[in-house]
Amino acid sequence: MGFLVTTLIFIVVGIIASLCARICCNRGPSANLLHLTLIITATVCCWMMWAIVYLAQMKPLIVPILNETE
Amino acid sequence: MHLLYGFDLQLNDGKSPFQRTFVNQVKRCAEMSRKLRFFKDQIHKAGLVPSPNPASEPDVELEELEIQLAEHEHELIEMNSNSEKLRQTYNELLEFKMVLQKAGDFLVSSGNHAVAQETELSENVYSNDSYADSASLLEEEMQPGPSNQSGVRFISGIICKSKVLRFERTLFRATRGNMLFNQAPADDQIIDPASNEMVEKTVFVVFFSGEQARTKILKICESFGANCYPVPEDLTKRSQIIREVLSRSSDLEATLEAGLRHRDTALNTIGFYLSKWTNMVRREKAVYDVLNMLNFDVTKKCLVGEGWCPIFAKTRIQESLQRATFDCSSQVGIIFHVMDAVESPPTYFRTNHFTNAYQEIVDAYGVAKYQEANPAVYTIITFPFLFAVMFGDWGHGICLLLGALVLIVREKKLSSQKLDSFMEMLFGGRYLLLLMSLFSIYCGLIYNEFFSVPFHIFGHSAYKCRDATCSDAYSVGLVKYRDAYPFGVDPSWRGSRSELPFLNSLKMKMSILFGVVQMNLGIILSYFNARYFGNSLDIKYQFVPQMIFLNSLFGYLSLLIIIKWCTGSQADLYHVMIYMFLSPFEDLRDNKLFWGQSVLQVILLLSAVIAVPWMLFPKPFILKRLHTERFQGRTYGILGTSDMYNEEEPDSARHPHLDEFNFSEVFVHQMIHAIEFVLGAVSNTASYLRLWALSLAHSELSTVFYEKVLLLAWGYDNIVIRLIGLAVFAFATAFILLMMESLSAFLHALRLHWVEFQNKFYNGDGYKFKPFSFALLTDDDD
C-alpha cells in the first residue's frame, strides 16, 4: 500500500477517534478542546513515526548483507 | 483569580512568628501532639496494637483534652519509672541467685583445703530488710582488722561472658599472678540494662590474699562492669540466703507482672482514642496556623485576611461564608470583598487523576506564570511518545502495559493504603506508565522488535536473494524486489552485517526530524503567548526572526533529509550543510538534490544571517522609546496622598511602584536571549540525537540478552541449562531492560521536554495556588 493510502488511513483513524471522544466524553468546551488536542497530537506523532520509517526504506542506498554465521 | 478577604493568605508575611496572635494556641497544640507521639511510642514499644474505639464518643473540647493528656502522660511516666526500678532490683536478685548457685560449687571445693574462715564483704551489699538475717550472720564473721590477716579470701560476682577473658587477664596482671580465678557460665540469660537485650553472663570467683589485691580487684571489677555479690562460705547460710533470694525474686516478679498489666490497660484505653485525638489536634493546629496569617485589627475587633480564590468558586465561597455566619450565630457577618491586585496571582490548573501526573512533571521544572500557555497539554502525548522512541520494543511494551494495568485496576485499594516512597511514585505515575507502554508497543511494531526478534506481521519482506542459490547474499547482499515494507522496519535487516549502518542512519535522521518539529511547536507556542498578552513587540522582533533562523537552517536540513529519502540520491548531507556556510556559491555537483538548490541555499543563508541582529537589536531600543513616551513628565515620582489610600490596611498587596528603565540591563538581557537561541539552535538539535542513542542501546542490549543468553542456553539439550538460561534472561530483561532502561528513557525524554522544548516559550516563574484543606494535612509528625 502506498504512502498516500496509508497517510489517508491515519487521517481517517484520527477523525474517527476524535468523533468517538466527542460522543463518549462530552464534558464541556475546555475538556473537549483538550481531548481534541490530545488526539490530533497522537495522530500526528504516530503518523510521523511511520512516515519517516517508510520513506527511509523507499529507495535505500544499502541492502542487507547476510552474516556468515547464519 | 480575585484578590479578596479570605483565602490563600499572605497578609502577615512581614511579622515574625512570635508576634502573631495565636502563637500560644499553636504552642499548646504542638505540646499536645508531642504527648500524643509519646503515647504512640509507648504503645508501640509495649507491642500493643491500638484498636480504635468503634463507638463514636462526643467530641471533647481542646482544653479538656489538654488536661486529660497531661494526666495520662504523668501517669505513664510514673508507671514507667517505677517498673524500671523494680526491674533493676529484679535483675540484681537474679544475678545474686546465679552467683550463689555457682559460686557455691567453687567454695565447696576450695573449702576442703584448710583455708581461713574469713569471708570478705564486697562493696555491693544489700541493705534491704529481708537481708537483716543474712547481714547479721555476715557481720558476725567480720573479724576486726582483717587487713592484717593473711590468708586466702575471695570475691564472687558475675560478668558478661564476652568480657571474661580480658577480665581474667587484667586480674592476673594486676595481682602478678597471685590469684586463682574460677568461672562457670550462668544457666540463664539476663537482660543487660544498658542495651536492653539478653546477654550471657559468667559467674566467677577470685581467690586472692592481701588487702592491696582486694582493692585492685574491686576496682577492676567496677571498671569491667562486673557485679560482685557476697557469698557466705557456710553451706547452711548459703542455702538460707538462696531461699530468701528466690522468694523475694518471685515476689518481685509478681509485682512486675501486675505493674505491666496495669500499664497495658492504661495504654489500651489511650489507644482507643489515640487516632481521634491525633486528628483533632492536627486539625486545630492547622486552623490556628491559618488564623495566625490573618491580621487582628484591635480597633475594629475583627480578623482581616487577604488571599486569592478562583473566579469560578466565588458564589460557592459566598454561600459558605453565609452558612458559617449562620452556624456560629454570630452577629456580624463576614465581609467578602473583591479587590484589585498589583502582584501576579497564583497559578491554578484543575487536573484529574489522569492529567495530574503530567502537570506534576511540568511543575517540577517551574510552575507556569499566571495565564501563560501550559506545556502539559502537549506533554501528555509527546512525553510518552519520545519515551517510546527510545524504548521501542513491543515485547517490553506489553510487560509495561501489564504493570500499568495492574496498578490501574487496583487503584481504589492502593490509594487508600499508605505506600512506601518507591511504590507511591510508581502509583502516582500509573497513567503515565499506561501511555508510555501503549506508545512503546506502537514504536516496537515500527522498529519490528519483540524482545529483539523481528516478525513478518505485515507481509513479506521486501528483500530476497538475487538468485536461487543465494550465493552472493553474504558478499553483495539481497536485492529489493518489491515496494517498501508497509509498516515499520523490514525484518530482513535484523542480523545482517549492514543492519547498524542502515538503522543508525534512519534513527539519526528521525531524531533530527522530531527535534525540529518539537522546537517549532515550542516557538509557535511562544507566538500564542505573545498574542494573548498583547505583546506585539515579541511577535515582530522575537517570534519571526526565531522561526526564520531555525527553519532556514534546520528546517532546510529536514527538507534535505526527506528529499534524499524520496529520490534515493547519494548526496552527502554533511557536505551540503557545511559547504552551504563555507562556500555557498560553489557548484554542487554530486550533492545536488533538486533544481535551484544553490539559489535557495544562498537565500536561506542570508535570511539566517539577517535574523540574528533582527532578534538582538530592535527590541531594547523600542522598549526604551515606549518607556520614555509613557512616563514623560512623570520623572518626579507619584504623589501618594490621594483619598483612596486612606483606608488601606497597612500590609496590603497593592504597592504602587514606578518601573525604573535600565537600558543596559534590558540590552544585555536581550543579547543573552538571542545568543542562547542562536547557539541553542545547534546544540538543541544535536541534543535530540539522544533519541537515536538510547534506542540503539536498548536494541543492542536486548539483542545481546536474547542471542548470548537465551539462544545459547537453548542450544544445549539439558533441561537444567535451559531453565537457568531462561531465568537469567528473565532477570536481565526485568531489571536491566525494563527498570533501568525505562528510568533512563524517562529521564532523557523529560530533559528533552524541560530544556529543548520549554526554553523556547516557557517562563515558569509563577507560584502554585495552595488552598487550605483538611484532607491535604499530611502526617508530618509521624
Side-chain angles (χ1 to χ4, degrees):
Chain A
M1 289 193 291
F3 182 78
L4 286 170
V5 175
T6 321
T7 305
L8 276 174
I9 294 180
F10 269 97
I11 295 178
V12 165
V13 167
I15 293 178
I16 292 178
S18 8
L19 286 175
C20 283
R22 181 59 63 98
I23 293 172
C24 300
C25 354
N26 194 348
R27 261 184 275 225
S30 143
N32 281 344
L33 182 62
L34 177 70
H35 296 153
L36 190 66
T37 310
L38 294 184
I39 290 175
I40 292 181
T41 316
T43 311
V44 168
C45 286
C46 292
W47 172 78
M48 259 183 41
M49 184 81 194
W50 168 82
I52 288 172
V53 171
Y54 187 83
L55 286 177
Q57 293 185 104
M58 267 189 358
K59 298 192 186 192
L61 297 172
I62 53 179
V63 287
I65 303 176
L66 296 180
N67 236 331
E68 316 282 291
T69 53
E70 286 200 85
Chain B
M1 287 272 173
H2 284 317
L3 176 61
L4 50 78
Y5 289 117
F7 284 89
D8 180 19
L9 301 169
Q10 301 154 340
L11 201 48
N12 281 347
D13 284 341
K15 294 202 190 134
S16 84
F18 299 105
Q19 289 170 310
R20 301 191 191 170
T21 336
F22 294 94
V23 79
N24 281 332
Q25 272 81 349
V26 174
K27 267 198 264 189
R28 283 164 63 187
C29 284
E31 182 62 22
M32 280 197 273
S33 60
R34 182 197 64 78
K35 291 197 179 89
L36 287 168
R37 272 199 307 275
F38 171 67
F39 296 150
K40 192 161 175 180
D41 234 1
Q42 289 292 309
I43 292 180
H44 185 70
K45 264 199 231 165
L48 301 168
V49 175
S51 58
N53 192 358
S56 58
E57 303 265 327
D59 285 330
V60 271
E61 281 293 323
L62 207 64
E63 287 84 13
E64 267 180 49
L65 182 62
E66 213 176 346
I67 298 173
Q68 268 186 18
L69 288 181
E71 274 174 21
H72 282 299
E73 189 189 20
H74 185 71
E75 197 184 334
L76 257 184
I77 292 181
E78 217 178 293
M79 275 195 282
N80 276 348
S81 68
N82 281 347
S83 69
E84 261 316 299
K85 279 190 274 203
L86 281 177
R87 183 168 292 283
Q88 214 176 352
T89 318
Y90 180 67
N91 262 355
E92 284 171 357
L93 277 179
L94 264 183
E95 288 181 348
F96 192 14
K97 179 188 84 170
M98 282 188 224
V99 169
L100 284 171
Q101 281 168 343
K102 293 286 168 172
D105 302 333
F106 302 140
L107 295 177
V108 162
S109 56
S110 68
N112 288 338
H113 319 300
V115 293
Q117 298 295 317
E118 287 105 305
T119 56
E120 273 302 319
L121 278 178
S122 77
E123 320 268 88
N124 303 342
V125 174
Y126 284 95
S127 52
N128 287 331
D129 289 343
S130 58
Y131 287 143
D133 298 339
S134 52
S136 54
L137 284 171
L138 291 164
E139 273 168 26
E140 274 174 22
E141 295 182 359
M142 271 275 280
Q143 304 289 338
S147 49
N148 287 338
Q149 305 279 348
S150 63
V152 180
R153 305 184 206 129
F154 69 93
I155 287 182
S156 54
I158 190 168
I159 187 176
C160 283
K161 188 159 157 208
S162 50
K163 301 190 199 166
V164 159
L165 269 159
R166 271 181 22 233
F167 185 53
E168 190 179 350
R169 267 206 301 271
T170 323
L171 281 177
F172 191 78
R173 275 194 229 121
T175 55
R176 293 200 195 89
N178 289 335
M179 66 112 195
L180 177 64
F181 186 84
N182 269 334
Q183 56 165 310
D187 287 328
D188 303 313
Q189 293 184 332
I190 294 198
I191 295 184
D192 178 23
S195 62
N196 229 22
E197 49 184 37
M198 305 290 267
V199 290
E200 286 191 6
K201 295 226 175 184
T202 312
V203 177
F204 65 88
V205 176
V206 183
F207 294 95
F208 61 92
S209 64
E211 183 59 32
Q212 278 174 334
R214 187 183 91 96
T215 35
K216 272 192 230 168
I217 292 176
L218 283 176
K219 279 214 192 89
I220 294 172
C221 284
E222 206 177 303
S223 74
F224 272 83
N227 296 329
C228 300
Y229 298 97
V231 175
E233 283 207 46
D234 190 16
L235 189 58
T236 48
K237 283 184 215 144
R238 247 205 326 271
S239 37
Q240 187 185 3
I241 293 185
I242 289 182
R243 272 198 308 275
E244 281 167 12
V245 165
L246 281 175
S247 75
R248 182 143 161 79
S249 68
S250 61
D251 282 345
L252 264 183
E253 222 175 294
T255 318
L256 271 174
E257 286 278 303
L260 226 66
R261 271 199 309 274
H262 183 52
R263 189 193 66 167
D264 283 350
T265 351
L267 283 177
N268 268 330
T269 41
I270 294 178
F272 274 154
Y273 301 110
L274 193 65
S275 58
K276 198 175 85 135
W277 285 343
T278 323
N279 263 338
M280 212 179 103
V281 169
R282 209 187 303 148
R283 287 159 76 115
E284 290 290 323
K285 181 161 183 300
V287 170
Y288 281 122
D289 277 334
V290 171
L291 283 178
N292 264 338
M293 291 197 232
L294 303 175
N295 201 357
F296 186 59
D297 194 338
V298 185
T299 55
K300 297 181 192 155
K301 292 200 181 49
C302 65
L303 284 166
V304 173
E306 280 186 2
W308 297 99
C309 83
I311 296 181
F312 65 81
K314 208 165 79 161
T315 40
R316 248 185 24 209
I317 293 174
Q318 279 169 327
E319 282 168 25
S320 323
L321 290 178
Q322 277 175 357
R323 223 170 1 139
T325 321
F326 182 71
D327 278 347
C328 66
S329 34
S330 109
Q331 281 158 332
V332 184
I334 306 177
I335 301 176
F336 174 92
H337 174 63
V338 175
M339 298 162 37
D340 290 325
V342 163
E343 66 175 38
S344 176
T347 313
Y348 180 38
F349 287 119
R350 278 200 288 180
T351 55
N352 55 21
H353 284 304
F354 177 70
T355 53
N356 193 35
Y358 297 97
Q359 192 63 48
E360 292 274 308
I361 63 180
V362 169
D363 285 344
Y365 183 71
V367 178
K369 200 177 72 169
Y370 185 58
Q371 289 189 331
E372 75 164 337
N374 185 10
V377 170
Y378 294 99
T379 305
I380 296 179
I381 295 291
T382 55
F383 174 75
F385 180 71
L386 288 186
F387 171 89
V389 170
M390 295 190 267
F391 194 74
D393 185 315
W394 57 285
H396 300 150
I398 290 180
C399 298
L400 281 187
L401 181 65
L402 291 175
L405 284 176
V406 162
L407 283 176
I408 292 177
V409 160
R410 297 175 64 199
E411 197 173 27
K412 282 217 162 35
K413 179 163 171 281
L414 283 172
S415 63
S416 56
Q417 283 178 354
K418 188 150 188 338
L419 304 162
D420 63 332
S421 63
F422 177 67
M423 270 305 289
E424 201 173 318
M425 267 200 302
L426 209 58
F427 180 68
R430 58 196 182 279
Y431 289 106
L432 206 60
L433 207 58
L434 177 72
L435 279 197
M436 278 161 34
S437 59
L438 288 175
F439 277 113
S440 299
I441 295 178
Y442 180 78
C443 280
L445 286 172
I446 291 210
Y447 288 153
N448 215 343
E449 288 190 15
F450 179 82
F451 293 100
S452 88
V453 176
F455 281 94
H456 289 71
I457 302 181
F458 296 100
H460 293 297
S461 163
Y463 295 92
K464 72 167 170 52
C465 292
R466 281 167 215 272
D467 54 21
T469 59
C470 271
S471 51
D472 53 2
Y474 298 90
S475 51
V476 186
L478 306 173
V479 66
K480 182 169 183 285
Y481 74 105
R482 308 156 38 125
D483 271 343
Y485 196 69
F487 190 85
V489 173
D490 199 302
S492 304
W493 287 105
R494 160 73 48 192
S496 64
R497 263 191 293 153
S498 49
E499 175 193 6
L500 276 182
F502 172 71
L503 281 183
N504 284 350
S505 160
L506 166 70
K507 288 183 180 174
M508 282 168 95
K509 292 177 176 153
M510 173 186 78
S511 314
I512 301 280
L513 288 171
F514 280 134
V516 170
V517 169
Q518 195 175 31
M519 287 196 286
N520 269 314
L521 177 65
I523 303 180
I524 291 175
L525 281 179
S526 84
Y527 164 73
F528 283 110
N529 265 344
R531 199 179 74 163
Y532 182 82
F533 290 113
N535 198 342
S536 69
L537 211 61
D538 266 352
I539 298 179
K540 281 187 278 195
Y541 301 105
Q542 207 158 298
F543 165 70
V544 175
Q546 281 183 348
M547 281 296 268
I548 292 180
F549 184 80
L550 188 69
N551 287 321
S552 57
L553 295 181
F554 296 101
Y556 178 60
L557 175 60
S558 316
L559 183 70
L560 286 180
I561 290 173
I562 296 180
I563 294 180
K564 181 172 174 183
W565 276 343
C566 288
T567 58
S569 136
Q570 301 234 348
D572 182 356
L573 292 183
Y574 291 122
H575 197 271
V576 170
M577 285 304 290
I578 293 174
Y579 282 89
M580 180 171 140
F581 283 88
L582 289 185
S583 35
F585 297 105
E586 201 183 296
D587 183 22
L588 285 167
R589 276 171 305 183
D590 287 333
N591 292 326
K592 194 173 160 83
L593 281 160
F594 55 90
W595 178 84
Q597 187 177 346
S598 324
V599 178
L600 182 63
Q601 280 184 194
V602 170
I603 294 175
L604 289 178
L605 186 62
L606 279 177
S607 332
V609 168
I610 294 176
V612 176
W614 187 351
M615 67 173 94
L616 176 58
F617 289 110
K619 191 170 159 194
F621 289 102
I622 296 182
L623 276 177
K624 181 176 164 82
R625 189 162 49 93
L626 285 176
H627 185 266
T628 47
E629 273 175 13
R630 193 189 307 157
F631 290 105
Q632 226 168 24
R634 289 250 213 141
T635 46
Y636 294 105
I638 287 189
L639 301 174
T641 55
S642 52
D643 276 343
M644 56 185 269
Y645 292 125
N646 273 349
E647 288 155 17
E648 267 311 308
E649 303 301 324
D651 289 311
S652 165
R654 289 178 275 151
H655 300 294
H657 52 227
L658 176 62
D659 263 327
E660 285 290 324
F661 187 79
N662 194 345
F663 178 74
S664 54
E665 203 177 296
V666 171
F667 188 77
V668 167
H669 178 86
Q670 190 63 27
M671 190 169 71
I672 291 175
H673 198 86
I675 291 180
E676 188 188 345
F677 182 81
V678 168
L679 294 181
V682 181
S683 89
N684 291 351
T685 309
S687 184
Y688 275 93
L689 287 173
R690 70 187 69 218
L691 294 174
W692 157 59
L694 261 88
S695 86
L696 177 67
H698 188 96
S699 158
E700 288 297 305
L701 273 176
S702 185
T703 308
V704 160
F705 289 141
Y706 177 73
E707 284 179 6
K708 305 284 184 232
V709 174
L710 196 62
L711 284 187
L712 193 66
W714 214 261
Y716 292 89
D717 258 335
N718 192 349
I719 185 80
V720 173
I721 297 187
R722 284 186 176 181
L723 279 178
I724 294 178
L726 197 62
V728 171
F729 175 72
F731 268 104
T733 302
F735 284 105
I736 298 184
L737 286 174
L738 288 181
M739 278 185 23
M740 191 191 85
E741 276 287 315
S742 285
L743 278 175
S744 175
F746 182 96
L747 179 78
H748 284 285
L750 196 60
R751 176 249 155 75
L752 281 177
H753 277 80
W754 279 354
V755 178
E756 275 79 20
F757 176 52
Q758 286 181 204
N759 75 1
K760 304 279 177 291
F761 68 97
Y762 195 53
N763 282 106
D765 51 5
Y767 59 105
K768 240 182 158 165
F769 178 64
K770 285 207 194 68
F772 178 74
S773 156
F774 278 135
L776 293 176
L777 283 180
T778 50
D779 291 331
D780 284 334
D781 300 334
D782 289 357

